[in-house]
Amino acid sequence: MTESSSLPGGTFSGGILNVYAHPDDESFGNPGTNALYAGRGAAVSLICLTHGEAGETNGVCAPDDLGEVRAGELRAACAVLGIRRLELWDYPDGGLADVDDEEAIGRLMAAYAAIAPEAIVTHSDDGITGHPDHLAVSKRASEAFRRMRDNPGQAVAPSRLYWRVVPSGHREKLGRPEITHRADYTTIIDARPLGSVRAEAVACHASQRPHTDYSDPVLFEMGAVDYYIRKFPEWEGGPLEADLLGGATHPEGSIFP
């Protein structure tokens, strides 16, 4: 079964649509960005392709109940972050690579048309941690975007595509050897004024253990600055972007944690 829900007070055309594999990707990944744009009045939406039923339970519930529990955790986190539209799909956690490509891509294209975002944000093509589900979502979310751009007469296509990444400058401080760190980012979203929102969102996912303690003073600001690669429009160099919806750039020589 697919769950579709909207929190009160949202308008859903335009804005940003996150496309992720698991409940918690929005909170462990880019909560600052989501809260920042939601606070500015942008429509922030999320498609989560699984219920996360193959994850850990952390003693919160029985394994058979985990998918339902994580769905509730995700709804709570969306409320914290200001995500107004949630599409929670029913693909198998840990088995996204086995889902038919055309079925998944077509379903994503239909969702893009219905939600009508300006920008799509998804996992990078390395999956950040190499998780097979992340890789599958990145591939299909990006391909759905490409096909809509190539056939603009069928529906209003999103105009921007971003992959979320972890910058190479974080390698030593994070101490996470499983993460792929990259230096080819094009866009930095500075959500440091909302630094505490990460902890609030992560706390909603009680069944899952965060692998990085961003409450550590050394890492706190690092967790509130999000990095992306702009895949479309194709990046042609210049000052790094400061806005997923276009326009603003960072001054030359800006330094981020």
Side-chain angles (χ1 to χ4, degrees):
M1 185 177 72
T2 296
E3 173 185 329
S4 176
S5 60
S6 300
L7 295 175
T11 56
F12 307 118
S13 61
I16 296 166
L17 170 61
N18 298 274
V19 184
Y20 285 143
H22 309 112
D24 76 22
D25 288 336
E26 81 300 327
S27 296
F28 294 170
N30 60 334
T33 296
N34 289 319
L36 182 70
Y37 280 90
R40 293 174 176 173
V44 181
S45 305
L46 169 65
I47 296 173
C48 181
L49 274 74
T50 80
H51 280 60
E53 68 277 4
E56 60 188 351
T57 65
N58 203 18
V60 167
C61 63
D64 289 347
D65 297 329
L66 184 58
E68 182 178 351
V69 167
R70 294 193 71 183
E73 292 175 342
L74 178 58
R75 288 190 290 270
C78 285
V80 167
L81 297 174
I83 294 173
R84 292 291 180 179
R85 178 165 179 158
L86 168 64
E87 297 279 343
L88 181 55
W89 292 4
D90 54 1
Y91 288 132
D93 184 10
L96 284 177
D98 298 324
V99 173
D100 180 75
D101 274 335
E102 291 304 311
E103 194 275 338
I105 292 167
R107 192 172 175 186
L108 284 165
M109 291 174 67
Y112 292 178
I115 298 172
E118 181 175 346
I120 302 292
V121 171
T122 191
H123 304 285
S124 54
D125 63 343
D126 51 51
I128 298 181
T129 61
H131 194 300
D133 284 354
H134 294 184
L135 297 173
V137 170
S138 176
K139 172 186 172 184
R140 287 149 180 177
S142 301
E143 177 62 13
F145 177 94
R146 185 193 67 79
R147 291 188 189 183
M148 289 193 74
R149 295 297 309 176
D150 288 349
N151 297 279
Q154 297 182 10
V156 177
S159 59
R160 307 173 77 82
L161 173 64
Y162 290 93
W163 289 350
R164 187 176 67 79
V165 299
V166 178
S168 53
H170 289 184
R171 189 187 308 275
E172 291 186 9
K173 288 184 178 180
L174 282 179
R176 298 276 304 278
E178 78 279 15
I179 286 179
T180 298
H181 296 80
R182 300 177 67 150
D184 57 342
Y185 52 85
T186 63
T187 308
I188 306 173
I189 303 302
D190 183 2
R192 285 178 290 182
L194 298 173
S196 62
V197 77
R198 174 181 289 274
E200 295 176 44
V202 167
C204 294
H205 295 283
S207 67
Q208 306 303 299
R209 292 185 179 89
H211 296 285
T212 300
D213 180 11
Y214 283 110
S215 66
D216 182 331
V218 175
L219 302 180
F220 180 79
E221 286 194 349
M222 185 187 297
V225 180
D226 297 324
Y227 292 73
Y228 302 89
I229 298 171
R230 194 182 81 193
K231 296 300 295 182
F232 189 91
E234 185 177 354
W235 182 252
E236 297 180 350
L240 296 181
E241 282 188 311
D243 186 355
L244 294 182
L245 301 179
T249 59
H250 292 288
E252 288 286 341
S254 293
I255 298 174
F256 290 90

